[in-house]
Amino acid sequence: MTQTDVDPGTLANVQFRQVGKPLTRTDAPGKVTGRTPYAGDYVMPNMLHMRVVRADIASARLARLDVSKARALAGVACVLTADEVTDRTAATDIPGQTGQKRLDTDQPILVKDRVRYFGEPLALIAAETRDIADHAAELIEFELEPIPGVYDPLEALKPGAPLVYGEDNIVAERKIRKGDVEAGFARADLVVGNTYKTPFQEHAFLEPEVGLAWVDENDVVNIRVSTQVIEHFRPIADAIGVPHNKVRVRGALVGGGFGGKEDLTVEVYLALLAKQTGRPVRLEYSREDSFVGHGKRHPFILTYRTGVTKDGKITALDVQMIADAGAYVFLSPYVVLYALVAAPGPYRVDNLNVFAQAVATNNMYTSAFRGFGALQACTAYEQQMDEIANTLGIDRLELRRRNFLKTGEPMSTGFVPPSAIWTEQCAEKAWAGLGEPSPEKGPIRTGRGLACYQQSYGRLTFLHDTSEAWVGVEMDGTVVVRSGVTDIGAGQISALGQIAVEVLGVTLDNVVIYNSDSAVTPLAGTTTATRALYMTGNAAKQAAEGLRARLAERAAQEFGAAPDEIDMAFNEVFVIDRPEQRMPLVELVRTCAAEGIHRSELAIFRAPFSDFLDPETGQGQAHPDYAYGAHAVEVSVDVETGEVEVLKSIAAHDVGQCINPAAVEGQIQGGAQNGQGYALSEEMLYEEGRLVTPSFSEYLMPTAMDMPNVECIILESRSGVGPFGAKGIGEPAMTAVAPAIANAVADAIGVRVFEMPITPERVVTALQQRDAS
Amino acid sequence: MYAPFELDIPTDLDGALAALANGGGKTVLPIAGGTNLIVDIRAKRERPDRMVGLGEVDELLGMDFGPERIAIGGRTTVSDLLRSPEIAQAAPSLIDAARLFGGLMVRNTGTVAGNIASGSPAADLVPPLLVLDAELTLASASATRTLALDDYYLGYKQDARRPDELITRISWPRLPENSANTFYKLARRKGDAITVTGVAVTLSVTDGSCTRARIALASVAPIVRRVKEAEAVLEGEALTPALIDEAATAAADACTPIDDIRASAGYRRHTVQALTRRLVTQAWDRLA
């Protein structure tokens, strides 16, 4: 169920014909009928099948690797080891247009001598069939001599701890020093201190990593791959040692990303073997490969110490965060930066110290995952708000109200978000949405929890992000959009279509969108960081507006009117106050064509550019803008078995402006599920770095039987920096779900489980400890 | 991905039993739903030379609702159970288990006999069948025998079935008047999860006294098993909270759980006690 609220103050003169309507997405019919090819559906004649051979110990020296038997097997075309790809590493993120890079610790493509995590690739096989590739994998002999590893970030920080690489295990450190924290604590009536722990999480997209690569007649390596980032063509080219214009990445509609396809996955392996063999090569990960084949969400240990007055005003906040970065750097420095910036949440904290570290271990490397550090911070700051409220005896929503950051106020970095901050409106609606309390019976207790959030949309502003889109109108009045954006299932490309046709006055069935080709569609950047709608949506809008202006100018000439008197709607062009003066769009387009007037427009949208945050104080601009909202839940807890059931799940988000409310609701529903699993049941367990939950039989995401009806309350402040005032919803939809559940469980049983997931056993243990004390 | 194997697809029971009898020293495994076996083969835990597919052996289908006993064929699927109003009436615990058994696709193809024969200590259909006093019919090419389910498991993944035998039928006596029969599955999520603790209870009451008690536990011992120590506390008694507590404690003492990725032994023992107490209390309150 969806309920939409628009602030009457922002309604003025805004009337949309296409935007804001739950239109059938352009990608829906193909997906529903099964006609849409995903990356794994592409095959080529004479194609080889690949297999990756992986280390089965997390910390070891590669003493021996013998691939001779595999190479000798009939039907094996190629086996590559580090000996053939000497000293090559694969960068793990596009570094941004400024050329800034993370610490120079990219992962070697294949292990040469040192294994740093369980599953690290040792060799690549290409063979005539999958069976032969599998057989060859069994013929590869290797010996790993265990090296003492480190599997706990706190251990990794101790002097004398085994080193994962480099001189110490500190991958990144960030800090905020704002106001006078000591004075703030001195003014406090009470200081509340707690430590919260968050777990690894697996993206678990429906479509495991897959791709097909071939070398074309121009010697260009083409890669058809399931990815969030087609602009990895640059690090792929660097990794295989060819110029950037000799690698072309073609996406396909993606079966889920969530950050797990933000880093390189199979691309470099495919490129190497396509080049080596001269034949098309295909690599598809099994689910088991996928579990060890991409980075996870960072587990965090977050220690919050909050000074508050008796009436609940925060006077000071000190936060220490330690994130497990795993065995390689990947996006860890950015993830802890997001956590740092998000540390106080959507609250006004003028005296703030934050210190955030990413620490290397021999666990699976960690990288991007929906929420990207800001979610882990929310998990802590929202549980902390409940702890403060309960200690002071103040209503939990009221405590939040007394501290909410308001529109126009400076956030943690001193930056003033340009848009409206509607946290309070969202929190009130979500909380009220819980309705009448559910009954308690026998060992069943019920409880309620609320969590509010601040989540950025758009990439870090010091990366100088840009996005391009091209919009053209055909001779029959139909519209074409071209943009390199990847669509990972959230309706990214359909939204571009909806924006373009809104501006050009046609309907969505009149548009075709070409996307996700690094060579022929204008480069649009990544589908990450809740940026696709913001960045590429703005680019598409600019392009469509540029084209419309040219068409309107010609129409104005035709009608003897001024260009700003022209409107375009329902495939017609007319004078606004004299609608009898009209012509079909197709007629105008033909006139323009005959006169050589340009019928297309290429636009680039530039996010705000900033310098890096001040390294000492953490002050400055980190992101273009922020989204705000709240999630409320009601749970029941069986105090004998510890089982938790989510009874009600209510989301209220200010999305700025819905482009497609059905797609927005889809994101909110998915975020509620993703966050519920994170809070309650999803657990990646590692023993000495070895994954012991390697399949969906052990790794438990909520099923339909576990999910309540999720109610979506969509607010539209129309204040965002995206197209038509849109903000973003991809990441925000998930951020507050888990702490809301944690708060509800604590409300139900009167004691908090400080570590997620909140398993039945942890609930029972917390209750037993409470009873014992 | 899969090691090669031969596949026989006999069209009747004699053919299936003959195929199982003529292994000639090779590993021959029967396969019905395959929801465990295929997973094990893919993970290389099982390496059959040949498999005997039972999908066309119609003698293994069907349910028989007699005045004294209920019998179901070995190929009865979990979904077949859920579609049967007679089963719902005659074996409520089996329906409790079937509802939460795997996912829909697994329920549609996984069979009752397969769940028994796979020997998992977490097999969800076994505790209900144990508290129903179920009996198995084991057939081979040379003989047919019956065996109480209670005598079927010998140890972890060890059972009384010879490699040339099939579980052709599962039967149990109708519950006496004034009986309660329930199963509770405790897992880390509701749908499609491996059981952390499973408890099944049958209680029959006559004239204010518990005439028969059956309690069976899953996932807390090397095999799914009854806890006769706890049953004995209840039988012949008018139940009181103290007596039920005693039985629950006896059940917790009798089980031998281990720590694994799903839960610790201590938590399992705690929940055996809590759930035994709960299910017996609910049954008694309903009947007495």
Side-chain angles (χ1 to χ4, degrees), chain A residues 130-131 134 138 286 288 443 638 640-641 643 645 681 683 685 692-693 696-701 703 705-706 757 759-761 764 768, chain B residues 1-2 42 44 99-100 102 107 184-194 261-267 270-271 274-275 277-278:
Chain A
R130 283 177 82 155
D131 282 348
D134 287 345
E138 288 172 6
S286 66
E288 290 84 350
D638 183 326
E640 290 178 351
T641 63
E643 292 162 284
E645 182 176 0
S681 61
E683 196 167 31
L685 293 172
V692 294
T693 52
F696 286 146
S697 137
E698 299 90 12
Y699 187 80
L700 303 177
M701 302 181 332
T703 67
M705 294 177 75
D706 298 278
T759 61
E761 181 159 3
V764 166
Q768 286 170 342
Chain B
M1 203 183 290
Y2 299 96
R42 191 167 171 270
K44 300 189 167 64
R99 275 207 194 98
L100 297 176
R107 291 195 291 272
Y184 190 86
K185 173 178 174 140
L186 171 60
R188 294 271 301 261
R189 73 176 172 202
K190 276 208 169 55
D192 207 356
I194 295 173
I261 55 166
R262 282 173 277 279
S264 70
Y267 172 78
H270 167 86
T271 52
L275 292 171
R277 187 196 306 116
R278 182 182 300 180

Side-chain angles (χ1 to χ4, degrees), chain A residues 396-407:
Chain A
R396 293 177 287 165
L397 175 56
E398 178 56 28
L399 176 85
R400 287 173 169 80
R401 241 187 234 121
R402 290 177 192 177
N403 291 283
F404 279 137
L405 188 74
K406 299 204 167 50
T407 305

Side-chain angles (χ1 to χ4, degrees), chain A residues 56-372:
Chain A
D56 54 3
I57 297 180
S59 179
R61 192 177 73 82
L62 179 57
R64 190 171 76 91
L65 177 61
D66 183 352
V67 300
S68 55
K69 285 183 187 144
R71 281 191 176 132
L73 182 69
V76 171
C78 183
V79 179
L80 283 188
T81 70
D83 289 341
E84 289 80 40
V85 290
T86 321
D87 296 334
R88 289 256 166 73
T89 59
T92 48
D93 179 42
I94 59 167
Q97 280 65 23
T98 58
Q100 287 192 41
K101 266 195 87 165
R102 303 165 321 285
L103 295 174
D104 185 22
T105 46
D106 290 328
Q107 183 181 355
I109 295 167
L110 293 169
V111 171
K112 191 169 174 59
D113 44 35
R114 176 80 159 92
V115 172
R116 295 191 173 86
Y117 70 91
F118 175 81
E120 191 162 0
L122 303 175
L124 306 172
I125 298 167
E128 299 294 339
T129 68
R130 283 177 82 155
D131 282 348
I132 295 171
D134 287 345
H135 188 191
E138 288 172 6
L139 295 177
I140 289 181
E141 296 168 10
F142 59 87
E143 274 173 42
L144 297 174
E145 287 173 2
I147 294 173
V150 61
Y151 306 100
D152 176 336
L154 296 178
E155 292 297 317
L157 285 171
K158 287 180 182 165
L163 291 181
V164 181
Y165 49 76
E167 290 169 0
D168 60 32
N169 288 323
I170 297 169
V171 172
E173 285 182 345
R174 311 277 195 208
K175 57 188 172 183
I176 289 177
R177 295 286 177 266
K178 182 183 186 186
D180 186 340
V181 168
E182 287 318 308
F185 278 120
R187 259 204 350 267
D189 295 313
L190 182 76
V191 176
V192 177
N194 287 299
T195 296
Y196 306 90
K197 286 184 170 182
T198 69
F200 285 100
Q201 191 178 21
E202 157 63 23
H203 307 77
F205 22 68
L206 277 174
E207 176 202 36
E209 298 87 332
V210 62
L212 170 71
W214 68 97
V215 182
D216 71 14
E217 66 281 10
N218 297 316
D219 220 20
V220 173
V221 179
N222 285 255
I223 309 172
R224 176 77 77 173
V225 64
S226 173
T227 180
Q228 296 175 238
V229 182
I230 59 170
E231 285 177 61
H232 280 319
F233 73 86
R234 300 184 191 101
I236 296 165
D238 291 342
I240 65 170
V242 302
H244 287 185
N245 66 359
K246 292 284 192 187
V247 175
R248 174 180 182 184
V249 175
R250 307 185 190 199
L253 290 181
V254 177
F258 310 102
K261 294 170 184 167
E262 177 166 346
D263 297 309
L264 287 166
T265 59
V266 293
E267 294 96 324
V268 173
Y269 309 146
L270 285 165
L272 280 170
L273 278 176
K275 221 163 139 29
Q276 188 79 20
T277 62
R279 291 172 62 181
V281 291
R282 181 179 184 277
L283 175 56
E284 177 184 335
Y285 278 180
S286 66
R287 183 59 67 180
E288 290 84 350
D289 281 327
S290 185
F291 265 79
V292 296
H294 65 262
K296 309 305 167 201
R297 182 190 294 287
H298 290 70
F300 268 65
I301 302 165
L302 308 108
T303 300
Y304 272 65
R305 211 158 61 85
T306 315
V308 280
T309 62
K310 275 193 218 108
D311 60 357
K313 283 291 284 182
I314 296 171
T315 60
L317 175 62
D318 178 86
V319 182
Q320 309 283 322
M321 301 172 165
I322 294 170
D324 185 345
Y328 288 98
V329 175
F330 286 84
L331 298 173
S332 293
Y334 293 171
V335 170
V336 293
L337 179 60
Y338 271 62
L340 177 99
V341 168
Y347 302 104
R348 175 81 184 255
V349 180
D350 292 331
N351 301 311
L352 177 66
N353 275 5
V354 190
F355 183 61
Q357 287 178 307
V359 180
T361 67
N362 293 105
N363 289 326
M364 184 63 195
Y365 66 84
T366 46
S367 194
F369 197 138
R370 192 180 199 176
F372 206 83

Side-chain angles (χ1 to χ4, degrees), chain B residues 19 45 83 93 124 141 146-147 186 188 194 196 201-202 205 215 219 239 244 281:
Chain B
R45 287 188 292 264
R83 278 191 289 266
S93 64
D124 280 337
T146 56
L147 184 69
L186 171 60
R188 294 271 301 261
I194 295 173
V196 171
V201 167
T202 300
V205 174
I215 301 170
S219 289
L239 302 193
I244 293 172
T281 303

Side-chain angles (χ1 to χ4, degrees), chain A residues 597-665:
Chain A
I597 294 170
H598 203 180
R599 289 173 292 105
S600 68
E601 180 81 7
L602 174 65
I604 182 167
F605 177 75
R606 296 176 188 83
F609 292 179
S610 73
D611 294 330
F612 198 82
L613 298 179
D614 183 291
E616 288 310 309
T617 64
Q619 298 300 286
Q621 181 173 5
H623 299 99
D625 191 27
Y626 296 86
Y628 299 88
H631 205 96
V633 298
E634 185 178 82
V635 301
S636 71
V637 182
D638 183 326
V639 294
E640 290 178 351
T641 63
E643 292 162 284
V644 175
E645 182 176 0
V646 179
L647 302 173
K648 296 174 187 169
S649 188
I650 321 281
H653 300 276
D654 170 23
V655 302
Q657 166 66 50
C658 274
I659 304 303
N660 188 328
V664 169
E665 194 178 340

